[in-house]
């Protein structure tokens, strides 16, 4: 099984929220960004826009925390998905998630998290600038390594020459 | 029913009461929403003879049926009121994220009446509506107010539309700013909000926008996105932003320079799209659902310490938005300042103070003309107001926003200022509103577009440089211009009614492409003919309102400078605006009489006979 992943490149994001619209459409059949499972964080003064959502952890804490085993691995995509009929709405997964990317549905309290739309993520399709792409897991490292290096270099520069 | 929420929120600021009302289905169908629907309510509820800055004026925020949907650039909302600058009905449009958030809170319209007894802000969280004291924010700029409201209410996703110090001080061309850098900019809507003691509207909406026919809707959206993707207009907007226009207006001698005394600016290359992109731009920024992202996020970098003439401490190192073409022209070419960094600073000040940079720059340019001619000899000035002085530009922008010193005169706009100093001819505008960045001597059609626009001098209702520079029409002849302007006004008006940005029209998404989107969203089988008729109906309704406010053919006019004084040099040398023949054509095309009144037949055909 090739595990695919959502590769997010914040530098390409313009903050247009088409991903939120598309995701909420899949969730609710309406355009309702408050129900989107991908969110765009805007850092105005830094001119930076960062879409974020479930990273589908290898060791998924939401899955470990669930008392009813309602979160399982989708064998087709490798994504961690919520089984609605098993979920009892206890919110434990939302507390367990280190990234705050598991939400609950108003009204039913059932867990809501990104499931990669079963292999065709709507957010990646909707993104007009390829800031969100659905790629093979191993390929996403190419970009991430460069980003890691940049953060590292920036950190070293900030520390000053004494370091 | 989809697209619309079908509800409006009415808030009486005097009593602090509010109620949610249904909107008549017939009005939604006949006006589509946005500007048209707000006009219809204004026609019903806003007395055209009231003083604009009195509690009797009504301030309407309106979204369209496609606001908050993924139709490209479905971000827009309109502010409709009686303009503080013009006294005419005004329809100011803004993007960002505020309009969609208001829609997600469940409202097509927000109607504000009366005047709050103390500085307040309005907080809307879906059905929860609350008027809260704004003492902590009164006197603060736009950026601080928006951040402060997020902190006070503890809602990171909050969207804010607010006024800066300029709106509080009733500067005649104050804006309503949202998302810090987006403005419902013209005609002084911010002064109207300030006169109501309303500092801000903070909105969080969690509801959805339903769609009548989802399959057809997504198909129409997909086609529009596909058409726009590789369109040269779309690519141009993304790459160079609106500031690329300066090369074109310069080439045709239609770049008004030093208060329209000249038609070309030597230093235009310092202000154009390439220079902004290559020197100061750090990112593109999109409004909600926008697939163009023409917004320029800029940083001053090493230039942050240049021109530190302002008295109020500011952080010049953060990233901010702009300038757009109009701002770069008004604060640059029109005042003769050719330094991009000075223009950037002045533009950011305008955003933070909440002022319209077009009217600001144009008013300062008029003051500079007065100064150069010695008409300000007996006035106490902080500094010489010479054309080209970057120090004067930056300091006077700030002084105007705070109404300090001579800024108090500038804050009245160039018409009132010119009259006060007995030189009314320095006012370059119509219906009290300063012209934007197209000289009608270079683009003849803009003459009739400026003269007939319902909200005064404006480039967004009919943009004739398009056909006039592409060989479709001769830029210097009046022939055919009245007809084309009428045609274009109706089409841009219906654009404003849908809630979609006007720029999609130049980026591969003409009005025709919005028709299937609106039809699928609302479930009403609109056609392009009906669409244009909605635009015409809206335009005529605004005209009727203006007639009742006392505007006549005499106000469909241009300054003498454009009608009598030709440029001596450049591509537009020797040309003056031949307004009267264009105006006659225009009235005939509109079905109006010689005095500019819609005929009974015309009103009958638009369903306006009983108004």
């Amino acid at each position: 099984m090739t595990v695919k992943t959502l590769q997010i490149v914040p530098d390409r994001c313009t903050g247009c929220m088409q991903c939120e619209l598309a995701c909420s459409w899949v969730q609710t059949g309406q355009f309702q960004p408050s129900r989107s499972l991908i969110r765009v964080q805007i850092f105005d003064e830094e001119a930076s826009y960062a879409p974020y959502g479930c990273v589908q952890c290898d060791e998924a804490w939401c899955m470990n925390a669930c008392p009813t085993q309602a979160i399982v691995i989708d064998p087709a995509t490798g994504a961690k998905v919520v089984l609605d009929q098993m979920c009892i709405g206890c919110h434990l997964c939302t507390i367990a998630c280190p990234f705050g990317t598991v939400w609950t549905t108003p009204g039913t309290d059932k867990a809501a998290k990104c499931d990669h739309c079963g292999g065709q993520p709507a957010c990646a399709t909707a993104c007009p600038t390829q800031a969100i792409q659905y790629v093979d897991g191993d390929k996403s490292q190419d970009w991430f390594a460069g980003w890691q290096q940049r953060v590292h270099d920036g950190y070293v520069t900030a520390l000053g020459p004494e370091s | 029913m989809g697209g619309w929420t079908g509800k409006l929120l009415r808030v009486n600021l005097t009593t602090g009461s509010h109620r949610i009302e249904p909107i008549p289905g017939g009005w939604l169908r006949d006006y589509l929403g946005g500007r048209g629907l707000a006009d219809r309510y204004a026609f019903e509820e806003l007395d055209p003879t009231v003083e604009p800055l009195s509690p009797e004026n009504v301030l309407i925020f309106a979204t369209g049926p496609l606001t908050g949907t993924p139709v490209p650039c479905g971000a827009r909302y309109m502010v409709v009121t009686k303009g503080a600058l013009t006294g005419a009905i005004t329809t100011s449009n803004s993007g960002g994220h505020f309009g969609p958030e208001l829609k997600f809170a469940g409202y097509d319209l927000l109607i504000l009446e009366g005047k709050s007894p103390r500085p307040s802000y309005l907080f809307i969280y879906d059905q929860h509506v609350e008027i809260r004291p704004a003492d902590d924010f009164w006197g603060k700029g736009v950026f601080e107010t928006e951040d402060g409201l997020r902190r006070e209410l503890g809602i990171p996703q909050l969207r804010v539309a607010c006024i800066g110090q300029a709106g509080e001080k009733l500067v005649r061309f104050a804006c309503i700013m949202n998302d810090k850098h987006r403005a419902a900019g013209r005609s002084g809507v911010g002064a109207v909000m300030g006169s109501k003691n309303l500092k801000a509207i903070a909105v969080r909406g969690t509801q959805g926008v339903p769609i009548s026919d989802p399959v057809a809707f997504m198909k129409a959206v997909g086609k529009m996105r596909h058409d726009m993707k590789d369109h040269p207009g779309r690519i141009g907007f993304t790459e160079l932003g609106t500031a690329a226009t300066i090369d074109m207006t310069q080439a045709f001698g239609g770049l008004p320079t030093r208060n329209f005394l000249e038609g070309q600016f030597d230093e235009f290359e310092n202000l154009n799209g390439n220079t902004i992109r290559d020197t100061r731009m750090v990112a593109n920024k999109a409004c909600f659902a926008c697939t163009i992202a023409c917004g320029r996020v800029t940083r001053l970098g090493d230039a942050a310490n240049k021109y530190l003439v302002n008295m109020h401490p500011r952080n010049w190192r953060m990233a901010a938005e702009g300038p757009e073409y109009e701002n770069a022209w008004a604060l640059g070419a029109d005042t003769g300042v050719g330094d991009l960094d000075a223009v950037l600073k002045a533009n950011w000040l305008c955003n933070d103070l909440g002022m319209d940079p077009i009217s600001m720059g144009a008013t300062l340019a008029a003051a500079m003309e007065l100064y150069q001619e010695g008409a300000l000899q007996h006035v106490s000035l902080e500094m010489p107001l010479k054309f080209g002085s970057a120090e004067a530009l930056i300091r006077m922008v700030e002084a105007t926003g705070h109404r300090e010193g001579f800024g108090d005169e500038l804050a009245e706009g160039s018409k009132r200022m010119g009259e006060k100093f007995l030189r009314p001819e320095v006012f370059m505008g119509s219906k009290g509103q300063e012209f934007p960045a197209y000289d009608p001597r270079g683009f003849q059609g803009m003459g009739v577009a400026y003269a007939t626009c319902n909200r005064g001098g404006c480039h967004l209702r009919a943009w004739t440089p398009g056909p006039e520079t592409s060989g479709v029409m001769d830029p210097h002849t009046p022939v055919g211009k009245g007809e084309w302007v009428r045609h274009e006004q109706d089409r841009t008006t219906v654009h404003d009614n849908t809630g979609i940005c006007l720029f999609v029209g130049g980026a591969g998404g003409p009005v025709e492409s919005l028709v299937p989107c609106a039809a699928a969203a609302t479930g009403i089988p609109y056609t392009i003919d009906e669409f244009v008729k909605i635009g015409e109906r809206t335009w005529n309704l605004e005209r009727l309102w203006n007639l009742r406010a006392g505007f006549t053919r005499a106000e469909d006019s241009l300054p003498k400078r454009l009608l009598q004084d030709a440029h001596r040099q450049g591509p537009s040398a020797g040309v003056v605006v031949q307004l009267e023949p264009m105006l006659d054509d225009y009235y005939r095309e509109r079905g109006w009489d010689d005095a500019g009144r819609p005929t009974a037949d015309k009103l009958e055909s638009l369903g306006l006979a009983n108004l």
Side-chain angles (χ1 to χ4, degrees), chain B residues 361-380:
Chain B
T363 304
L364 182 58
M368 284 172 163
E369 188 182 338
L370 290 176
Y371 177 85
Q372 304 274 62
E373 293 181 354
L376 300 180
Q377 266 174 346
H378 306 292
V379 181
S380 160

Side-chain angles (χ1 to χ4, degrees), chain B residues 86-108:
Chain B
T86 57
I89 192 163
T90 191
T91 47
S92 284
N93 184 298
S94 180
H97 298 258
F98 177 81
E101 201 70 20
L102 186 63
K103 186 89 172 277
F104 296 137
Y107 309 108
D108 287 328

Side-chain angles (χ1 to χ4, degrees), chain A residues 11-18 20-22 25 28-35 39-49 52 103 124-130, chain B residues 68-72 97 104 147 157 159 180 204-211 214 217-218 225 229 282-291 293 297 299 315 318-319:
Chain A
D11 285 359
R12 291 186 195 147
C13 177
T14 61
C16 77
M17 311 287 173
Q18 283 280 358
E20 291 195 9
L21 285 165
W25 171 259
T28 67
Q30 299 189 0
F31 297 109
Q32 190 173 8
S34 68
R35 292 280 304 279
R39 304 276 166 103
V40 182
Q41 181 65 45
I42 294 184
F43 301 95
D44 261 330
E45 295 182 6
E46 300 305 322
S48 177
Y49 320 101
Y52 67 97
W103 288 275
T125 312
C127 180
T129 59
Q130 284 84 50
Chain B
T69 71
V71 177
H97 298 258
F104 296 137
D147 289 338
Q157 305 96 330
R159 297 294 178 187
K180 292 185 181 170
R204 170 69 180 144
T206 66
Q207 300 170 55
V209 177
I211 298 295
F217 182 78
M218 290 311 270
R225 281 189 56 162
K229 193 164 183 292
V282 291
N284 282 77
K285 188 172 179 182
C287 294
F288 188 90
C290 172
T291 58
V297 181
R299 224 187 250 283
N315 173 14
M318 65 180 183

Side-chain angles (χ1 to χ4, degrees), chain A residues 5 7-8 19 21-22 34 45 47 49 52 57 60 71 77 81 84 96 100 105 111 124-125 128-129 135 141:
Chain A
T5 186
Q7 171 179 287
I8 293 173
C19 53
L21 285 165
S34 68
E45 295 182 6
Y49 320 101
Y52 67 97
C57 306
I71 299 179
T77 64
V81 301
D84 254 11
T105 307
T125 312
T129 59
V135 298
Q141 294 298 325

Side-chain angles (χ1 to χ4, degrees), chain B residues 22 121 146 149 171 196 230 232 247 275 320 332 335 374-375 446 506 554 602:
Chain B
Y121 72 90
E146 183 165 332
L149 280 167
V171 173
K196 297 191 172 304
D230 298 319
D247 298 307
T275 306
T335 60
M446 285 315 285
K602 178 47 77 179

